[in-house]
Amino acid sequence: MSDDEPDLELLSLLRKSLGLGPPDPSAPPETKVLQDAEFIYNNSIDVALDMRGTKNAAIAIWDQMQQREYSAKTWSDHELHPKSKDESAVNFIFTMDLLNFCFWSEKGREESFAIEWKGKRWTGYWSLVAALQRALDENIPITTPTFWSNEEECTEDLLRTVFRSATSEEIPLFSDRLACLREAGQILDEEFDGSVVALIEDAEHSAAGLVNLLAEHFPCFRDEHMFEGRKVRILKRAQIFVADLWAALEGEGWGEFGDIEKITMFADYRIPQILYSLGCLTYSPPLESRIRHLIPLESGHSWEVQLRGCSIWTIELIRREIIRLHPTATVNAILIDFFLYDFMKEVERDGEESIPHHRVRSVWY
Ligand SMILES: Nc1nc2c(c(CN[C@H]3C=C[C@H](O)[C@@H]3O)cn2[C@@H]2O[C@H](COP(=O)(O)O)[C@@H](O)[C@H]2O)c(=O)[nH]1
């Protein structure tokens, strides 16, 4: 038996001694993200939740979501998001969420990385979506998985063309993005017949199952960290991929998931920022000072894990409060999250941020 194979006999002895039955293969898949978020919340000392702020935020958020008729359909309303519901849309969303990380710049608004397309300048997340749409317009098959592992055709220079900036600053972590495409292309080729649809179908309409498949097979989706001596799962891009699929396809076909409520908020750098502004989160003085002085945190630092884990848990408490007040509400963490991201971008556009977002350079978010 090789080192990395579990000693099944020992395992079954252990389970018996602990009074646990054999693992039930028919049990529905779980991601463990929410329970890990609660563990992080219970062990955080630099990030705290304000219960009154969270209750007030739940009322304000639900009110705004109702007024704006926020639903899964809102996803496709964004001018850059794909409108079709076919395999090309599935491939677009996979490509987008494979690269959906780290757009923030150290430079000022005028010089920071931006994509120009259809006479408009796009920054942040939207710069990625615009770059993919522009590449397709220029007949570059950037959303085709088999293209990514073809080093003759999908050259580094071609990718630089895809992400060419309207300013002097290039897209952050360019080489990491190239590596993600190469890795995903190779794994899809080897294990899923080069097909994103085959990967999705392997999950048999389970959202948690699809998240776990991504974390198991694709290292670049395996957003897991050590916190207080325990491995914790955040899985932001794996989860937002499932959520974008569900929203774009309006819960049908490849977007149909019987357990979509198992998807949590996506731990990025924008939701903590808006949760602080809404009075839901408070920071220890050293952490708040670090954030206000725009000093980056290192990836995997305890402060970063606390920010991400407590944000996931806060959205769960906001969701529970909305349901408590409105038992018939159709709401989940995905829609609350999507709303808060869009709302944060409005606050930023109006220059009304009350605190900067935290800064980490990583491929996880
Ligand atoms: N939690 C959460 N994080 C999100 C999004 C989105 C965009 N989702 C669209 C789809 C449906 C919604 O209606 C949105 O229109 C991007 N991000 C993350 O933010 C960061 C980029 O920030 P900035 O540089 O300022 O654009 C980066 O980590 C990116 O991964 C979201 O929805 N939720």
Side-chain angles (χ1 to χ4, degrees):
M1 176 175 62
S2 72
D3 287 350
D4 59 357
E5 275 174 30
D7 180 338
L8 295 177
E9 200 174 317
L10 174 65
L11 264 178
S12 73
L13 277 175
L14 266 177
R15 294 186 73 90
K16 277 204 188 75
S17 66
L18 293 171
L20 298 170
D24 173 4
S26 66
E30 299 295 340
T31 68
K32 273 182 72 298
V33 172
L34 192 58
Q35 69 192 58
D36 286 351
E38 187 175 20
F39 169 76
I40 295 166
Y41 160 67
N42 286 326
N43 292 276
S44 288
I45 50 174
D46 295 281
V47 179
L49 269 66
D50 180 306
M51 286 308 166
R52 179 182 306 280
T54 301
K55 280 180 177 297
N56 293 339
I59 296 166
I61 289 165
W62 182 244
D63 176 56
Q64 275 297 307
M65 287 176 75
Q66 288 290 86
Q67 278 190 37
R68 302 178 187 207
E69 296 178 352
Y70 222 82
S71 75
K73 285 188 178 58
T74 314
W75 193 94
S76 304
D77 293 346
H78 291 289
E79 65 178 289
L80 292 183
H81 278 160
K83 305 292 177 265
S84 70
K85 302 198 183 311
D86 56 11
E87 184 165 10
S88 68
V90 168
N91 286 342
F92 188 99
I93 293 166
F94 184 83
T95 314
M96 185 181 76
D97 286 325
L98 182 63
L99 304 173
N100 189 355
F101 56 80
C102 197
F103 303 104
W104 59 268
S105 170
E106 316 254 25
K107 298 181 185 299
R109 192 183 289 266
E110 286 314 305
E111 302 159 81
S112 61
F113 167 74
I115 292 283
E116 207 148 80
W117 187 52
K118 287 193 168 176
K120 280 170 91 171
R121 273 199 183 191
W122 306 89
T123 58
Y125 160 81
W126 295 110
S127 69
L128 167 65
V129 192
L132 297 179
Q133 292 285 19
R134 181 177 68 180
L136 292 175
D137 249 11
E138 295 171 351
N139 296 318
I140 298 170
I142 190 61
T143 59
T144 304
T146 47
F147 178 68
W148 306 333
S149 40
N150 180 335
E151 304 212 12
E152 280 73 51
E153 286 191 22
C154 183
T155 62
E156 180 168 333
D157 283 348
L158 184 70
L159 211 69
R160 288 197 183 282
T161 306
V162 169
F163 291 110
R164 66 188 184 279
S165 176
T167 69
S168 58
E169 184 181 47
E170 76 165 14
I171 190 166
L173 302 184
F174 172 82
S175 53
D176 294 88
R177 296 182 202 274
L178 177 57
C180 285
L181 286 168
R182 294 276 194 244
E183 174 192 282
Q186 192 184 350
I187 292 166
L188 280 170
D189 255 353
E190 288 167 4
E191 302 178 37
F192 300 95
D193 303 325
S195 156
V196 175
V197 159
L199 162 68
I200 294 167
E201 290 174 351
D202 273 8
E204 297 176 339
H205 295 295
S206 165
L210 184 49
V211 167
N212 289 341
L213 274 178
L214 286 161
E216 179 190 342
H217 291 275
F218 298 84
C220 73
F221 276 105
R222 199 172 300 142
D223 179 5
E224 301 172 345
H225 307 277
M226 288 309 290
F227 179 74
E228 296 297 321
R230 176 168 140 178
K231 185 183 82 170
V232 290
R233 306 186 97 199
I234 306 282
L235 300 180
K236 180 254 177 188
R237 287 196 292 105
Q239 292 199 97
I240 202 169
F241 168 62
V242 175
D244 284 339
L245 263 185
W246 171 77
L249 304 180
E250 295 177 44
E252 293 173 4
W254 293 306
E256 180 189 346
F257 298 103
D259 58 348
I260 194 67
E261 74 287 345
K262 290 183 181 172
I263 298 297
T264 72
M265 163 270 186
F266 320 112
D268 71 327
Y269 51 86
R270 286 298 184 185
I271 307 299
Q273 185 183 19
I274 192 67
L275 290 177
Y276 177 97
S277 308
L278 292 171
C280 303
L281 291 181
T282 57
Y283 303 150
S284 66
L287 173 55
E288 178 156 349
S289 168
R290 190 85 178 252
I291 292 174
R292 288 192 181 281
H293 289 92
L294 311 185
I295 303 167
L297 302 176
E298 65 186 79
S299 179
H301 189 284
S302 171
W303 283 350
E304 179 204 31
V305 178
Q306 292 180 51
L307 281 164
R308 301 183 78 198
C310 289
S311 296
I312 293 173
W313 190 244
T314 305
I315 298 298
E316 172 60 13
L317 296 185
I318 286 173
R319 185 193 67 80
R320 291 179 186 180
E321 180 63 5
I322 290 172
I323 296 292
R324 188 183 71 82
L325 297 169
H326 310 278
T328 59
T330 49
V331 67
N332 59 28
I334 295 172
L335 292 176
I336 296 170
D337 175 290
F338 281 173
F339 165 76
L340 284 174
Y341 172 86
D342 289 340
F343 182 61
M344 180 61 232
K345 296 304 284 180
E346 291 171 19
V347 168
E348 183 193 44
R349 184 197 57 214
D350 301 342
E352 292 172 0
E353 306 95 312
S354 52
I355 190 168
H357 65 73
H358 72 278
R359 281 152 167 73
V360 173
R361 287 278 181 234
S362 91
V363 300
W364 303 124
Y365 60 102

